[in-house]
Amino acid sequence: MDSMDTFADVARIFSGLFLVIQVFVLILWAYETNEDIRNRIDGEGDYEADPNLKICMVFWMFAFIVGSWVLIGFFFPWYAPGDEDCGLNVFLIVLTIIWTLVNTVLSIMDFNEGNLFCASVVQFYATYVLYTALASDKTECNTKADEEGQKGTSA
């Protein structure tokens, strides 16, 4: 085993840790943003009450959740066409659907401190990570790849 193989193995481990850290930072940001906006809606702290911010919260939650579902709907024909053997891609798409549903349901239940804004942000991020994983697929399952096997779309 040469040094590049060792580097690749170490990089895989640290990239997974990096993704976990990103998720924690994103959850912390979404949770604090939700609290701050709710304080502004209720007029707590240094803020005057602004109930119109509820519309902003609902808009962004709706945009993140619906945007995520629309993208996932496109992922099936783009990265798991029916005429190819794309079991891993289908598994990753379905796993993302299940994980985001469980995350959303758990976040709105009363037994924890979760909120729907945080869940919608995490759901959209999970959809983005799924997109990056599927777009980097170099097999025939990736219908968005051009002739050289590069990504046909970029974010």
Side-chain angles (χ1 to χ4, degrees):
M1 189 153 128
D2 66 343
S3 62
M4 287 308 289
D5 290 336
T6 304
F7 173 76
D9 291 338
V10 170
R12 282 187 195 101
I13 292 169
F14 281 107
S15 66
L17 292 173
F18 181 71
L19 284 174
V20 170
I21 291 170
Q22 278 185 322
V23 169
F24 281 129
V25 169
L26 194 62
I27 289 171
L28 180 65
W29 172 82
Y31 190 78
E32 288 177 355
T33 301
N34 181 66
E35 272 191 27
D36 191 46
I37 291 175
R38 292 189 61 79
N39 287 340
R40 291 177 67 183
I41 290 170
D42 298 335
E44 296 176 7
D46 296 335
Y47 303 111
E48 293 182 26
D50 188 4
N52 293 328
L53 284 174
K54 287 181 184 177
I55 296 169
C56 176
M57 287 288 289
V58 170
F59 169 79
W60 283 110
M61 287 185 286
F62 183 77
F64 285 140
I65 291 171
V66 171
S68 176
W69 288 112
V70 168
L71 286 173
I72 287 174
F74 283 124
F75 290 166
F76 280 105
W78 287 350
Y79 301 110
D83 57 340
E84 305 293 338
D85 183 28
C86 304
L88 178 62
N89 290 359
V90 171
F91 171 75
L92 291 173
I93 295 170
V94 171
L95 181 68
T96 303
I97 291 170
I98 292 170
W99 186 80
T100 56
L101 280 174
V102 168
N103 179 41
T104 303
V105 169
L106 289 177
S107 70
I108 59 176
M109 299 191 71
D110 287 337
F111 67 86
N112 64 11
E113 302 258 340
N115 57 65
L116 191 56
F117 180 74
C118 187
S120 65
V121 168
V122 171
Q123 178 174 344
F124 195 76
Y125 178 72
T127 304
Y128 169 74
V129 171
L130 174 66
Y131 164 75
T132 59
L134 294 174
S136 67
D137 183 15
K138 292 183 172 48
T139 66
E140 65 276 352
C141 295
N142 185 353
T143 62
K144 292 303 219 180
D146 61 11
E147 293 80 32
E148 294 94 34
Q150 301 296 320
K151 288 190 261 186
T153 57
S154 63

